[in-house]
Amino acid sequence: MKAAVLKAFGSPLAVEHRPDPVLGTGEVIVDVVAAPILSYADEVFSGARNYPLPPPVVPGCGAIGRVRAVGPDATKLASGDWVFCDPTVRSRDDALMPDIVLQGWSARGEGGAKLQRYHLDGAFAEQVRVPTENAIPIGPIAETEAARWCAINTLLIPYGGLLAANLQAGETLLVSGATGNFGSATVAVALAMGAACIVTPGRNEAVLADLARRFGSRVRPVMLTGNEEVDRARMMEAAQGPIDCVLDILPPSVRTQVVRAAVMSVRPYGRVILMGGVGMLGGDDLALPYPWIMRNDITVRGKWMYPPEAVRMIVGLVRAGLLRLEEYAVTEFALSRVNEAIVHAAANGGPFRLTVLRPGGAMRDSVRKSP
């Protein structure tokens, strides 16, 4: 098969022939039709993000494809089924505290590194081998739709946070980081889940206006000033009532004061979900007042990724018409243009934009855009 290989950090990916993956018990081989390229992939491949991704490796985090072969213990999947290849691989020998690896992307801790040594190669290839439970059926689609279905790779991240928050239909949510790639996806998913109102603070006036245009009066934009007290007051005023839940998904570069202004707008007995990167680059950590948390009975929870059942549930939201993949503008690249695609993803990583690699199918050395 052909694959794009990262041979060393800081070097372009090399497209070359690699051995086809070998099927084992508890595994599935998938023909990759479309694989998303994350907007910060260039930072990972350059080594700037210092990800635990040992070269040589076929990278790629998630994919849409068709089942080529299944192991002897598969009872439902069959050759030809359309599936989402979930990159979140969990160890099977500790259900309480599983080690986790993002296949083709990163690992966490010593156990994750051990798991990664087996589930290393990702989806920037014509075929990928995944655990059986990670090949999740999405139902019949046309091959031309595969690239847009890659959007669920992004949508699943905030969906995991909203499930952890136990967001209920009719509640008010504040999305801290709403103008970013994952933040805008949070808005779309929360509306699909029935949120009555979503407060969307940010500094990018154009993106805030676009969110309101796309989703209507249930979205309440708030322009941030940089003053923590002023911004908190503006957020609470925009909600026109109690804020039931705050989900923070801001990147590592943001100051902690911005996060705290949003977090402390939540009502008494409210919930806060932390999914962003504050402090990960060595900056100040988030400091929340102990008395405020205790006396107001605030629930603060961290969340990384999403539970295994989330994929089937988000597919249900798409199939029901509640979550529109058509919101995403998609640019597709043939496998031979993978390095061009990585540059494009970095320059076009805003809300509702998707860069996709097409290892399989009819594309040949070309680029294709879908509005």
Side-chain angles (χ1 to χ4, degrees), residues 146-333:
R148 186 160 276 129
W149 271 88
C150 286
I152 66 174
N153 200 59
T154 298
L155 295 162
L156 276 165
I157 306 299
Y159 188 43
L162 295 171
L163 290 175
N166 192 30
L167 181 71
Q168 299 296 302
E171 287 194 316
T172 293
L173 171 72
L174 185 147
V175 180
S176 176
T179 58
N181 186 26
F182 288 110
S184 59
T186 308
V187 175
V189 175
L191 290 172
M193 295 173 68
C197 168
I198 303 181
V199 180
T200 57
R203 296 178 181 273
N204 191 321
E205 187 173 3
V207 174
L208 290 175
D210 182 65
L211 287 171
R213 178 191 63 80
R214 288 176 186 269
F215 300 116
S217 60
R218 291 161 71 191
V219 172
R220 310 278 174 78
V222 175
M223 279 295 296
L224 294 175
T225 67
N227 182 297
E228 185 175 340
E229 296 300 325
V230 170
D231 288 341
R232 183 178 301 117
R234 286 188 173 190
M235 295 175 205
M236 297 173 76
E237 180 182 1
Q240 300 178 13
I243 296 173
D244 301 293
C245 178
V246 173
L247 188 147
D248 177 79
I249 199 160
L250 282 165
S253 57
V254 175
R255 296 182 304 121
T256 57
Q257 291 89 336
V258 179
V259 181
R260 187 166 54 242
V263 166
M264 293 186 67
S265 70
V266 77
R267 65 168 172 83
Y269 306 99
R271 294 100 67 200
V272 174
I273 303 296
L274 303 178
M275 299 193 78
V278 168
M280 291 180 66
L281 297 180
D284 293 337
D285 200 358
L286 178 62
L288 296 174
Y290 188 113
W292 173 78
I293 296 173
M294 182 269 292
R295 290 173 181 166
N296 290 291
D297 210 335
I298 304 297
T299 299
V300 180
R301 176 176 175 179
K303 183 61 182 174
W304 189 58
M305 302 305 288
Y306 44 84
E309 66 272 15
V311 180
R312 291 182 182 274
M313 294 163 67
I314 208 165
V315 169
L317 291 175
V318 173
R319 292 294 186 184
L322 297 169
L323 189 57
R324 286 174 40 84
L325 302 182
E326 292 80 7
E327 296 290 345
Y328 281 84
V330 184
T331 304
E332 305 171 42
F333 289 82

Side-chain angles (χ1 to χ4, degrees), residues 105-131:
W105 205 245
S106 69
R108 186 178 68 182
E110 183 179 344
K114 183 177 181 180
L115 187 64
Q116 185 188 53
R117 285 194 285 274
Y118 185 74
H119 293 292
L120 177 61
D121 287 340
F124 287 6
E126 292 179 325
Q127 297 177 32
V128 65
R129 172 179 53 80
V130 299

